[in-house]
Amino acid sequence: MASSNSSTSQPAPGTSSAQASPSPSRKSSVSNARAGKQHAPTNPSNLRLSHTASSSEDHKSDAASSNTAEEQEDLSRPVSPKDVLYFHRDGIHPAARDSASAYSDTSATRIAGQLHDGLEPNARKRLLEQHNWDGSSGCREDNYNYGPLSPRSTFNRDYGRVVSIDSQDGFGRRYEDSVRDGIGYSRDHVHGLLGDAIADGTLGEGRSHKMSTTQWLAHRHGVRNIRVMYLLYYLPVTRWVPQYRLSYLRGDLIAALTMASFYIPMSLSYASNLGHIPPINGLYSFVFNPLLYAVFGTCPQMVVGPEAAGSLLIGQVVRESINNGHHHDSDDTKNAQIAGMVTGLAGLVIFVAGLARLGFLDGVLSRPFLRGFISAIGIVILVDQLIPEMGLDRVAAHVGGAAHGSSLDKIIFLVRNMDRAHGLTCAVSFGSFAIIMVLRELKRRLQPRFTWVAYVPDRFLVVVLSAVFTWSSSWDRKGLEILGEIRAKGKPFQAHFPFQPSMLSEATNTFSTAFLIALLGFFESSVAAKSLKAGTVKVKRKKDDEEGDEEVEEAIKGMTVSANRELVALGVANLIGGLFMALPAFGGYGRSKVNASTGGRTPMSSVFLSLISVVCVLFLLPYFYYIPKGVLSAMISVVAYSLIEEAPQDIRFFYRISGYYELLLMFLIFLTTFFWNLRIGIAAGIGFSLIRLLKHATRPRIQILGRRPGTTEFENAELVGENLEFLPGCLVVKIPEPLTFANTGSLKDRLRRLEDHGTGAAHPALPRVRREEHNRNVIFDIHGVTGLDPAAAQVLLEIVSGYRERGTQVYFSRVPSRRGEVWRLMCVSGIVDKIGGERHCVSNVQDALDLADEEQRLDEDGYRDDVDE
């Protein structure tokens, strides 16, 4: 560019000044063009242009003839640095000049923002006709190869014309041999089965016809090392560690300390009061799981740890094993081993689901299911914690059904033994609950005005003060139960393989619980991950050597939340946690929100939380001796209350919009959980949800169409109603969805209702009200049939054969692409031949009506047989 400018600024040797200077008319035209530059956009959108792929030879021929001599001279003037844009090789994302790029330095292309507008004096006409933005920018194919403004086939000056583009113009497209049109079957079955990442990594990066679209695009656009690309994607720690800055350290450390003060005491109570395992195993959940999630997880601000639901399910498995006589209640080692096996099984289930790419299942469970489950969990926990809060643990151990029964059994026990409650225990427990609730409400009200309130560790202070008062006043000698000595059996962090042969006898009883823990844990984690955005930090930008305003940008760039990678990350974390007999740990929205609100921006806050938990296990366990169990139960009761408090709002919402099925699902889960147990409640809710899902998926949504009077537009006659007209002798049916074995089972019955009643809403007991003569011709609008499997093709062939046997003419309108799988199956299955060949497959419904009318006239005149021949 610089050499071009210098060569045109002075006359060439041997050339006169008259020859070197442009003519007056030429000067005028160039000056007019420059005067109109301010009306042209710096980066035109070209939305009115459609693009088709072309060869590089077409590029060179078009680009060579795109610019006139006047345009060349106008491009010779210097370009201001402010007019220069930088683009990555993808041609889409602008590259900041002062920031790091995922590509090499040569991948950011310098594009001149000065756009030549042509020589016409009228600015409006110039904007409408001038489309050679890239050619007029001064870029040439030998100098600029990338970016949306780089050279490609020159835009024609006819507005809205179809122009051709090169494959490296930044639009990107699918590799032609990678995916079969229609339903997405891979022609290369290895890539289709294993996925691009595994297949590309194992088969190499050769440019063969078996490469995937990902591999093909990578080679075309300069991504040199595909294995490193996949490594950065599937091992997020390799992406966020190089981006970590020292300025993030303070916020991450404060967030970790805040979370530790809240949730380390809670993990002790989860383990001892809900999971019925040694309290130290609850701490192990914060030692290993956050660290492993920081390595494999995709949501920078999410923190994993034990939850009330998983801990409660672990406790139920332990209780069942005790009730079945497999071991004694006092055998803490056996209890911990059972908990480790359940955690390991849950991790294994969720890890295999991640490898099988089943992340789409996070949308299977509905919001009413989650609300019913969470509310049931809250009620169960509240009732369950009333026993230790009132000091009735020892009494419940000698009453059948009280310690291990349903919530109803426990309420009956509490009512009958209320007079035997311990006064000091009730005062400490309910007093701690009241103090925590008051402080919780105060923080909620003050936090909008005073952000520092979020850093106040109120629950940690309650635990510490209660332990101090217990020690100083000797409350433990007055009957108040305390946590006591907490230590591991043997050395800390001693591993135990959860799938030993001696433990396999418990696997049958524990697998269903492990599956539920994995399903619900992943669902809660996905909700938390979707609700959290990437960590943001405020940075100051200088503008024109002046102090600029603070702007918000992502702390870690390039990390996207992926459901499949989340499954793998959570699976690995719980598999390792199961080795150390920890509670199952998943991402929690409340915990992650605390992390974000107290300064956590990167996964380093999870790393710090793990380190703090290690310090607690190694050095601080003796200081937990005097913590009252009633205070830990009170903290769990606060969590249970928070699980219930949103239920009335959801109930009012669904009642207002007449969501009676949703309300039925919520109450079904709640009642079965309350009167039996949590697993039966969840199983009932999942069964009810799956039945509704299958009913919705297998019901064909075919529509009978009517025509708007005086037009050729057709709409759903059951929705629009009397404003549409039906056509004599024709039944127009629209199939707006892909056809599979699932939704074609009742297709015949649905079509029969349309033939008999003109609607699918009528009961089949109603006698025929639609005359038979109006079904002489059946027209299927199959524009929405983007997929067709062989089983559905067989059913469709039977339907078409039945129509032809009755003498009914069948037409298909708006058939998908002739290159697609739908058309191939229609041909090879005999459907096209059965309806009379390709001439019965037309472009729209109106053409089908015209063809049916023409063939009816031929039938009446007796020429139809000759036409068929």
Side-chain angles (χ1 to χ4, degrees):
M1 181 71 74
S3 61
S4 175
N5 292 339
S6 62
S7 63
T8 56
S9 60
Q10 297 178 358
T15 305
S16 64
S17 59
Q19 291 173 335
S21 61
S23 62
S25 61
R26 185 173 174 182
K27 285 183 177 179
S28 175
S29 60
V30 173
S31 62
N32 289 336
R34 287 179 175 172
K37 286 181 184 295
Q38 57 185 337
H39 301 287
T42 302
N43 188 9
S45 63
N46 297 327
L47 293 178
R48 292 293 299 273
L49 297 171
S50 57
H51 304 272
T52 58
S54 67
S55 63
S56 59
E57 288 77 5
D58 296 336
H59 269 272
K60 297 178 181 178
S61 61
D62 291 341
S65 60
S66 62
N67 298 318
T68 63
E70 292 84 351
E71 292 170 328
Q72 295 290 341
E73 179 180 356
D74 184 54
L75 291 171
S76 65
R77 72 184 186 89
V79 180
S80 172
K82 297 180 182 179
D83 298 327
V84 177
L85 300 177
Y86 292 82
F87 288 86
H88 290 304
R89 288 188 179 183
D90 59 5
I92 299 174
H93 299 92
R97 283 171 288 183
D98 57 347
S99 62
S101 171
Y103 298 94
S104 61
D105 293 339
T106 59
S107 66
T109 305
R110 183 171 175 260
I111 303 299
Q114 297 276 350
L115 300 177
H116 184 62
D117 298 325
L119 302 179
E120 293 296 330
N122 188 297
R124 180 178 181 274
K125 184 177 181 181
R126 183 164 59 253
L127 287 175
L128 291 177
E129 295 183 351
Q130 177 64 28
H131 302 292
N132 189 18
W133 303 105
D134 54 346
S136 62
S137 65
C139 299
R140 291 295 177 267
E141 194 165 300
D142 54 350
N143 295 327
Y144 298 90
N145 300 320
Y146 316 108
L149 301 180
S150 60
R152 49 188 177 270
S153 179
T154 305
F155 293 137
N156 296 321
R157 293 183 181 274
D158 296 332
Y159 191 65
R161 286 282 300 275
V162 176
V163 297
S164 58
I165 61 176
D166 187 74
S167 62
Q168 289 185 336
D169 57 2
F171 283 87
R173 57 192 174 100
R174 178 180 59 82
Y175 183 43
E176 294 179 357
D177 291 334
S178 63
V179 180
R180 181 178 298 169
D181 290 337
I183 55 179
Y185 288 151
S186 174
R187 288 174 177 169
D188 178 13
H189 298 290
V190 176
H191 281 85
L193 179 63
L194 300 179
D196 289 356
I198 298 178
D200 291 344
T202 56
L203 300 180
E205 302 176 10
R207 302 188 181 202
S208 66
H209 66 282
K210 290 184 179 299
M211 69 172 59
S212 63
T213 294
T214 304
Q215 191 175 359
W216 179 75
L217 285 173
H219 282 299
R220 299 282 289 183
H221 294 274
V223 180
R224 297 175 182 176
N225 198 324
I226 295 180
R227 290 187 176 93
V228 172
M229 177 189 73
Y230 285 127
L231 178 66
L232 292 173
Y233 182 79
Y234 286 104
L235 199 62
V237 68
T238 60
R239 183 177 293 275
W240 68 262
V241 167
Q243 299 183 51
Y244 195 80
R245 301 177 185 176
L246 204 57
S247 59
Y248 303 156
L249 184 63
R250 177 177 175 271
D252 290 336
L253 183 58
I254 292 176
L257 290 171
T258 305
M259 286 186 297
S261 65
F262 285 173
Y263 294 103
I264 284 181
M266 196 167 293
S267 66
L268 299 174
S269 58
Y270 281 159
S272 61
N273 293 350
L274 294 182
H276 299 285
I277 60 176
I280 193 172
N281 294 94
L283 278 177
Y284 287 165
S285 300
F286 276 126
V287 170
F288 300 102
N289 296 71
L291 179 62
L292 292 168
Y293 184 81
V295 175
F296 297 99
T298 62
C299 185
Q301 290 180 299
M302 191 165 76
V303 180
V304 299
E307 293 290 339
S311 303
L312 187 63
L313 288 170
I314 289 286
Q316 290 190 354
V317 173
V318 172
R319 286 173 175 177
E320 287 185 4
S321 178
I322 295 173
N323 292 338
N324 294 332
H326 295 167
H327 65 281
H328 297 290
D329 195 358
S330 58
D331 191 351
D332 291 339
T333 302
K334 187 66 174 180
N335 293 345
Q337 290 176 357
I338 293 175
M341 185 177 61
V342 176
T343 301
L345 282 175
L348 181 63
V349 168
I350 206 168
F351 179 74
V352 172
L355 295 182
R357 291 176 287 180
L358 300 180
F360 65 91
L361 292 177
D362 65 344
V364 172
L365 301 181
S366 62
R367 175 67 180 271
F369 176 91
L370 181 64
R371 175 51 55 201
F373 163 73
I374 289 177
S375 301
I377 285 287
I379 293 294
V380 170
I381 292 175
L382 274 179
V383 175
D384 194 56
Q385 295 308 302
L386 284 175
I387 294 178
E389 287 174 354
M390 298 175 65
L392 295 174
D393 283 332
R394 297 177 182 178
V395 178
H398 296 86
V399 176
H404 309 300
S406 64
S407 296
L408 180 62
D409 295 332
K410 293 177 182 178
I411 290 177
I412 295 174
F413 165 79
L414 290 172
V415 172
R416 290 178 177 177
N417 297 274
M418 190 177 300
D419 56 335
R420 303 172 67 180
H422 189 261
L424 179 60
T425 303
C426 291
V428 172
S429 302
F430 296 136
S432 300
F433 178 82
I435 293 173
I436 294 174
M437 291 297 295
V438 171
L439 294 177
R440 175 174 176 263
E441 186 64 25
L442 284 175
K443 290 179 68 173
R444 180 180 299 178
R445 293 174 181 266
L446 294 177
Q447 193 167 351
R449 298 179 58 188
F450 307 101
T451 56
W452 56 267
V453 174
Y455 298 88
V456 176
D458 53 334
R459 301 182 190 183
F460 179 74
L461 292 176
V462 170
V463 173
V464 171
L465 291 176
S466 64
V468 170
F469 290 149
T470 302
W471 169 74
S472 61
S473 303
S474 300
W475 285 348
D476 56 318
R477 298 178 182 178
K478 299 178 182 179
L480 180 66
E481 292 193 22
I482 58 176
L483 199 56
E485 186 178 4
I486 303 174
R487 62 180 180 179
K489 299 296 183 180
K491 297 181 180 180
F493 311 118
Q494 188 172 359
H496 178 271
F497 187 66
F499 308 127
Q500 292 182 358
S502 60
M503 299 294 298
L504 293 181
S505 59
E506 302 283 349
T508 304
N509 298 329
T510 59
F511 182 78
S512 59
T513 302
F515 181 81
L516 290 177
I517 291 174
L519 181 64
L520 297 170
F522 169 62
F523 185 79
E524 185 177 1
S525 299
S526 64
V527 170
K530 292 175 182 178
S531 302
L532 292 169
K533 296 182 179 179
T536 57
V537 293
K538 291 185 178 181
V539 295
K540 288 187 176 182
R541 300 290 188 189
K542 289 186 177 181
K543 300 178 181 178
D544 298 334
D545 298 330
E546 295 180 1
E547 190 70 17
D549 296 332
E550 288 187 344
E551 296 180 3
V552 177
E553 68 174 18
E554 292 183 1
I556 304 298
K557 298 180 176 63
M559 289 186 65
T560 57
V561 177
S562 167
N564 293 323
R565 288 184 292 161
E566 285 291 294
L567 283 169
V568 173
L570 295 171
V572 171
N574 283 283
L575 276 172
I576 302 300
L579 289 175
F580 295 92
M581 297 168 285
L583 291 173
F586 296 93
Y589 177 72
R591 181 169 49 247
S592 303
K593 198 69 175 177
V594 171
N595 178 39
S597 63
T598 53
R601 295 292 178 267
T602 72
M604 188 59 73
S605 60
S606 295
V607 177
F608 287 146
L609 178 60
S610 295
L611 295 178
I612 294 172
S613 301
V614 171
V615 172
C616 289
V617 172
L618 296 178
F619 304 106
L620 301 182
L621 289 182
Y623 298 97
F624 296 160
Y625 184 89
Y626 285 100
I627 296 178
K629 288 186 177 181
V631 174
L632 298 180
S633 298
M635 295 180 64
I636 296 180
S637 298
V638 172
V639 175
Y641 177 81
S642 66
L643 297 179
I644 302 173
E645 62 182 349
E646 294 183 3
Q649 180 181 356
D650 285 348
I651 292 174
R652 286 194 300 267
F653 173 78
F654 287 115
Y655 180 78
R656 188 173 67 251
I657 64 174
S658 301
Y660 300 119
Y661 280 104
E662 286 72 18
L663 291 175
L664 177 62
L665 175 62
M666 293 172 60
F667 283 107
L668 176 67
I669 297 175
F670 174 78
L671 293 177
T672 52
T673 301
F674 184 81
F675 287 103
W676 282 277
N677 56 57
L678 188 60
R679 284 192 297 174
I680 293 179
I682 295 174
I686 291 178
F688 186 78
S689 299
L690 289 178
I691 291 174
R692 288 194 62 198
L693 181 64
L694 291 175
K695 180 181 179 181
H696 179 78
T698 58
R699 181 177 183 178
R701 295 161 183 80
I702 59 176
Q703 307 167 5
I704 183 170
L705 300 183
R707 183 171 62 185
R708 285 192 173 276
T711 67
T712 59
E713 298 179 0
F714 292 82
E715 295 187 18
N716 188 351
E718 298 189 60
L719 293 180
V720 180
E722 299 178 355
N723 296 327
L724 300 181
E725 60 182 10
F726 290 101
L727 304 171
C730 290
L731 175 65
V732 184
V733 178
K734 180 179 180 180
I735 304 178
E737 61 183 348
L739 291 178
T740 64
F741 70 95
N743 61 0
T744 53
S746 60
L747 185 59
K748 292 181 181 179
D749 179 65
R750 297 284 174 178
L751 285 172
R752 187 177 300 110
R753 293 192 187 187
L754 295 183
E755 297 169 19
D756 293 346
H757 311 124
T759 177
H763 194 276
L766 180 71
R768 174 190 289 271
V769 297
R770 179 182 171 91
R771 294 201 299 269
E772 182 67 27
E773 62 189 59
H774 294 316
N775 300 327
R776 292 196 307 268
N777 301 284
V778 177
I779 301 172
F780 289 102
D781 181 0
I782 60 171
H783 180 65
V785 183
T786 56
L788 183 70
D789 64 12
Q794 184 181 28
V795 175
L796 190 59
L797 176 62
E798 294 175 358
I799 292 173
V800 171
S801 301
Y803 280 131
R804 297 298 295 130
E805 290 174 0
R806 300 202 307 259
T808 300
Q809 296 294 328
V810 180
Y811 306 87
F812 286 99
S813 71
R814 300 203 294 173
V815 181
S817 172
R818 296 296 198 272
R819 299 174 55 191
E821 182 71 5
V822 175
W823 177 255
R824 186 189 73 83
L825 282 175
M826 290 180 64
C827 291
V828 299
S829 63
I831 295 175
V832 175
D833 294 335
K834 183 67 67 173
I835 64 176
E838 290 190 29
R839 63 190 179 90
H840 276 213
C841 297
V842 295
S843 59
N844 54 64
V845 176
Q846 187 60 47
D847 290 347
L849 293 173
D850 296 339
L851 181 59
D853 187 55
E854 179 182 353
E855 291 183 347
Q856 184 176 355
R857 289 198 304 269
L858 292 176
D859 283 338
E860 293 174 354
D861 296 339
Y863 295 111
R864 178 60 182 270
D865 294 337
D866 297 336
V867 171
D868 291 339
E869 292 177 2

